[in-house]
């Protein structure tokens, strides 16, 4: 009786809550609000503690340094001393954020966090167009849990804005092609926005923007063929309007650098695509996509299989052929860089959403077999990670990455969650709720751990040393009121990049060492310091040291 009474009480409490949540979920904008809250928290919560952040020299330091140069010179079109290899729009978002919020890692990374949240919203909207609400909602929440996406959501670069613009363009095509808009004038507006988005993507990433357009051509052509020639004019009109900032920036660059302004853009694209050994990314991109999108990358395989069963040819192309064309192009190219793979991550999230939705609602034999395969893979990975951790703790192997208690603890939690997800999945193969719980447990745990590790400076903080150096009270006072001359710093391009951002006032020293003026401050290499010590007329005071470079005062 007591058990029955307790059970009925719990049921009386639980049922109204579930009923209320279902009503909220049914509300038109509730899902978007949840996505904004969760993705916004994950995207922004880590950024505002500057003491746990520092730039990666390449490429964050490069983007931040060049954005700072725009602000220092006041020239938003041609601030460089010679023709630049990228369109200036690559730096505008970071420069604008720095102008609004001040110089710092948080302001340089805010645009990426913002466009990451916006991308999650667009992924949800795309999911609504091609699948159902549950699948779309799952896809949007899975996106920020993937390590590669999470990293670049907190990274000072234009990559997230570039991905967002391409996603937005695709969503506009889907909206224009929907049954509700085919017979209305709204479709022309959607095609116009599609063109603007493609052009702005070029402003941000120059010729890389042509890759998704090329991969989308059959999808675009199929969509336009169904809707008539008039849409082509609106698409082209949007592209022309969106291209205006590109034309203006190139005009200013041409006035400053001549024909080199064009040649450098083309040459950079050639070097990146065909400038070295081809097929450099043949194994690189598949491997990082599998590892840095786990577990969603694994689950998405079933989603891509399900997509190929769609009757709609356009959607089959968009969801399977389009990502494959991009992946193939990246694998063939002579450059292997992780941020190029970001273009594929949203489609892995969408395929994962379709897969999970199908797996928890389908009784097909294929669904059962794939759930079984996933469960065993989760268990195998979890046990493998646990064995590696035991080897590290017992001293049988030395793993430098596992050098801090918080990392060891995170490693243990990940292995434990994988084992738990595997066991829950194996025991409940016929129970859809068990499978969804195991996947949810992995995704939530992974997102929380990434957020914690980033928040305390384990991730996103590779060069804390230079911040410690410039923030030493005595050093900081000197840097704020004096120009620092750099000698021999060019030998280490990463250090040079970081100094150009973190030093408030600096100049390259161009004269001979025997012409150094007294009461001047220098950042010098060890070799340059030895040369200066040979001059007896100088009195050299060593103030501080950063890596292999010395901060000195010459009297």
């Amino acid at each position: 009786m007591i058990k029955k009474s307790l059970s009925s009480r719990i049921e009386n409490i639980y049922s109204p809550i579930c009923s209320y949540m279902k009503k909220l979920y049914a509300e038109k904008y509730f899902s978007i609000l949840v996505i904004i809250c969760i993705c916004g928290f994950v995207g922004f919560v880590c950024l505002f503690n500057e003491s746990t952040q520092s730039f990666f020299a390449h490429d964050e330091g490069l983007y931040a340094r060049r954005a700072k140069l725009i602000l220092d010179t006041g020239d938003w079109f041609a601030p460089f001393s010679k023709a630049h290899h990228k369109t200036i729009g690559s730096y505008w978002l970071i420069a604008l954020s720095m102008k609004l919020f001040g110089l710092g890692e948080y302001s340089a990374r805010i645009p990426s966090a913002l466009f990451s949240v916006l991308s999650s919203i667009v992924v949800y909207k795309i999911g609504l167009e091609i699948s159902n609400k549950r699948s779309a909602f799952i896809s949007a929440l899975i996106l920020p849990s993937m390590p590669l996406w999470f990293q670049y959501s907190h990274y000072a670069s234009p990559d997230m804005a570039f991905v967002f613009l391409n996603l937005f363009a695709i969503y506009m095509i889907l909206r224009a092609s929907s049954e509700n808009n085919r017979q209305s004038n709204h479709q022309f507006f959607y095609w116009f926005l599609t063109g603007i988005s493609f052009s702005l993507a070029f402003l941000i990433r120059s010729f890389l923007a042509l890759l998704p357009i090329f991969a989308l051509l059959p999808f675009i052509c199929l969509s336009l063929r169904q809707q008539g020639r008039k849409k082509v004019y609106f698409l082209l009109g949007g592209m022309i309007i969106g291209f205006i900032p590109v034309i203006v920036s190139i005009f200013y660059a041409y006035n400053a650098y001549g024909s080199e302004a064009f040649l450098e853009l083309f040459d950079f694209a050639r070097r990146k695509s065909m400038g070295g050994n081809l097929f450099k990314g043949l194994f690189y991109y598949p491997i990082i996509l599998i590892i840095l999108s786990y577990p969603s990358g694994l689950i998405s395989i079933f989603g891509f299989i399900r997509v190929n069963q769609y009757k709609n040819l356009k959607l089959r192309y968009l969801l399977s052929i389009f990502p494959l064309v991009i992946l193939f192009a990246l694998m063939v190219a002579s450059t292997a860089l992780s941020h190029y793979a970001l273009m594929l991550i949203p489609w892995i999230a969408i395929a994962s959403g379709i897969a999970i939705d199908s797996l928890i609602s389908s009784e097909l034999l294929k669904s059962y077999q794939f759930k079984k395969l996933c469960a065993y893979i989760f268990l195998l990975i979890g046990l493998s990670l646990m064995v590696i951790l035991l080897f590290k703790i017992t001293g049988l192997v030395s793993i430098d990455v596992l050098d801090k208690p918080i990392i060891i603890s995170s490693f243990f939690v990940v292995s434990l969650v994988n084992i738990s997800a595997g066991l829950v999945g194996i025991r409940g193969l016929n129970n859809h709720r068990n499978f969804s719980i195991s996947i949810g447990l992995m995704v939530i745990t992974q997102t929380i751990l990434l957020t914690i590790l980033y928040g305390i400076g384990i991730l996103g903080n590779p060069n804390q040393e230079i911040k410690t150096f410039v923030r030493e009270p005595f050093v900081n006072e000197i840097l704020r009121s004096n120009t620092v001359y750099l000698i021999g710093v060019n030998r280490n391009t990463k250090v040079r990049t970081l100094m150009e951002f973190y030093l408030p006032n600096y100049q390259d020293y161009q004269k001979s060492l025997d012409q150094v003026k007294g009461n001047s401050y220098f950042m010098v290499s060890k070799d340059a310091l030895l040369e200066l010590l040979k001059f007896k007329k100088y009195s050299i005071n060593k103030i501080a040291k950063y890596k292999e470079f010395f901060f000195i005062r010459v009297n």
Side-chain angles (χ1 to χ4, degrees), residues 30-42 117 120-121 141:
F30 177 72
S31 297
I32 293 179
L33 183 61
V34 172
I35 291 166
I36 291 172
C37 291
I38 294 176
C39 297
F41 179 81
V42 171
V117 176
S120 290
I121 295 171
L141 295 183

Side-chain angles (χ1 to χ4, degrees), residues 13-24:
I13 296 171
Y14 181 72
S15 294
I17 292 174
C18 287
S19 177
Y20 180 68
M21 292 304 294
K22 284 179 181 178
K23 286 181 181 178
L24 281 178

Side-chain angles (χ1 to χ4, degrees), residues 85-303:
H85 58 280
K86 293 183 179 182
T87 44
I88 193 65
S90 301
Y91 314 108
W92 278 355
L93 288 171
I94 297 174
L96 181 61
S97 182
M98 285 181 174
K99 189 174 181 64
L100 292 173
F101 304 110
L103 293 179
E105 293 88 359
Y106 69 98
S107 59
R109 290 169 170 172
I110 279 175
S112 291
L114 175 62
F115 282 103
S116 173
V117 176
L118 292 175
S119 294
S120 290
I121 295 171
V122 176
V123 162
Y124 171 73
K125 301 297 280 185
I126 289 174
L128 287 178
E129 293 291 330
I130 62 179
S131 186
N132 58 56
K133 189 172 184 178
R134 182 170 65 181
S135 168
F137 190 68
I138 292 169
S139 300
L141 295 183
I142 277 178
L143 186 60
S145 75
M146 289 186 270
L148 184 63
W149 186 267
F150 185 95
Q151 177 190 351
Y152 281 95
S153 297
H154 305 83
Y155 197 86
S157 76
D159 296 295
M160 301 308 290
F162 174 67
V163 173
F164 165 77
L165 286 168
N166 283 290
L167 286 173
F168 185 75
I170 292 168
Y171 173 58
M172 287 295 99
I173 296 174
L174 289 170
R175 288 291 294 156
S177 305
S178 67
E179 292 291 339
N180 295 334
N181 292 310
R182 280 186 192 174
Q183 305 304 322
S184 72
N185 290 330
H186 290 152
Q187 59 184 316
F188 304 123
F189 180 64
Y190 293 138
W191 280 110
F192 183 75
L193 290 179
T194 299
I196 289 178
S197 298
F198 282 141
S199 293
L200 291 179
F202 187 92
L203 174 69
I204 288 175
R205 294 299 272 144
S206 63
F207 286 101
L208 181 63
L210 298 181
L211 175 56
I213 294 175
F214 171 76
L216 280 170
L217 273 178
F219 173 71
I220 295 172
C221 291
L222 283 171
S223 300
L224 287 171
R225 188 180 67 180
Q226 291 176 352
Q227 298 179 46
R229 189 175 296 177
K230 190 175 179 181
K231 288 78 177 176
V232 177
Y233 301 142
F234 278 87
L235 174 64
L236 294 177
M239 295 182 79
I240 292 170
I241 296 297
F243 215 71
I244 290 174
V246 179
I247 295 170
V248 172
S249 64
I250 291 177
F251 172 77
Y252 276 95
Y254 177 77
N255 285 340
Y257 316 117
S259 59
E260 284 295 314
F262 301 101
L263 298 176
E264 192 61 34
L265 287 175
F266 284 103
D267 190 53
F268 180 72
R270 181 195 60 79
R271 291 197 309 270
K272 288 294 182 182
S273 58
M274 299 177 291
N277 297 325
L278 294 179
F279 296 98
K280 195 172 180 179
L282 185 61
F283 299 108
Y284 175 79
Y285 287 108
I287 289 171
I288 67 159
L289 283 171
I290 291 170
I291 295 174
L292 296 182
S293 67
Y294 181 82
S296 306
L298 173 64
I299 300 165
S300 69
I301 294 171
F302 188 76

